[in-house]
Amino acid sequence: MGILRNFVNPLHQQTKRNYIERMINEKVNCSKIAKNYGKEYWDGERKFGYGGYKYIPDRWKEVAKNLISTYDLKSGSKVLDVGCGKGFLLYEMLKIEPNLKIAGFDTSQYAIDNSKKEIKHLLTVSKAENNFPYANNNFDLVISLGTLHNLTLKQISNALKEITRVGKQGYIMVESYKNEQELFNLQCWALTCQSFFSHEDWIWIYKKFGYTGDYEFIYFE
């Protein structure tokens, strides 16, 4: 197993969330709409998802810098983002190291269609639970942020095996909880989460399915 990282938490903790309001605001219907991963989820009302997931220059800069420095990425290094969304993190990484060779895929056609034009041709539509169309150890780093908790356990098992197979190094971030309050908050807030596991259970899952990379958990405190 790899190392517990703290790349995304500083960014995650900047957002204030009203958990009870989300829970009572037609959440079941909103969750059904969110799981289409279409315009409503990315750029519709907040009750359906992000409430407008726009590119904000340098928002992901520190995360990008940490990934590049931690995993010793250089000119020519190959990076894959599993569940890349609109690809903003990959774009920030390229701003820092323009000669990275990046690739990304996401289940959302809308997200790919609305990605940065500079990298859109490098992104594709695919599902994280499917077999990846890449050779063993094809990438210097495979990352996946906020994606695997949206899968069932069976789907997670294959995604982990594929991330490990195609990447020389790995970094995964998922939603999790440390106590009952955080579990309640997560259940109130999450629209697309399929797998509500504690951080101890996630680590067990990683070991069970042979994932050897680094990991991070975000909590809803």
Side-chain angles (χ1 to χ4, degrees), residues 26-44:
E26 300 180 323
K27 185 173 186 289
V28 173
N29 182 59
C30 292
S31 182
K32 291 178 180 178
I33 293 172
K35 288 178 180 179
N36 293 322
Y37 299 105
K39 182 177 181 180
E40 293 88 353
Y41 174 71
W42 294 98
D43 294 317

Side-chain angles (χ1 to χ4, degrees), residues 53-58 60 84-95 102 110-123:
Y53 192 70
K54 309 298 183 185
Y55 175 69
I56 302 173
D58 297 335
W60 288 95
C84 64
K86 295 184 180 181
F88 295 158
L89 175 55
L90 289 174
Y91 179 71
E92 288 295 331
M93 293 176 74
L94 279 180
K95 285 172 61 178
I102 66 164
Y110 179 87
I112 302 302
D113 289 344
N114 288 273
S115 60
K116 295 288 291 181
K117 64 180 181 180
E118 294 89 345
I119 64 169
K120 187 179 297 185
H121 64 290
L122 302 171
L123 310 180

Side-chain angles (χ1 to χ4, degrees), residues 164-198:
T164 303
R165 180 182 68 80
V166 305
K168 299 173 185 175
Q169 303 177 93
Y171 162 76
I172 293 172
M173 180 275 286
V174 293
E175 298 172 352
S176 186
Y177 63 91
K178 304 186 299 294
N179 53 55
E180 291 302 317
Q181 184 62 61
E182 291 178 0
L183 173 58
F184 174 78
N185 292 344
L186 174 57
Q187 290 171 331
C188 287
W189 189 257
L191 292 166
T192 57
C193 185
Q194 293 279 94
S195 295
F196 295 85
F197 297 130
S198 69

Side-chain angles (χ1 to χ4, degrees), residues 1-5 71 137 141-142 159-172 202-203 205-215:
M1 276 291 290
I3 297 172
L4 176 64
R5 298 295 183 180
Y71 299 106
N137 294 319
L141 176 66
V142 179
L160 289 173
K161 291 173 183 177
E162 286 296 279
I163 288 170
T164 303
R165 180 182 68 80
V166 305
K168 299 173 185 175
Q169 303 177 93
Y171 162 76
I172 293 172
W202 274 111
I203 291 172
I205 289 166
Y206 292 154
K207 292 178 179 178
K208 176 69 174 178
F209 297 117
Y211 175 65
T212 56
D214 294 344
Y215 53 94

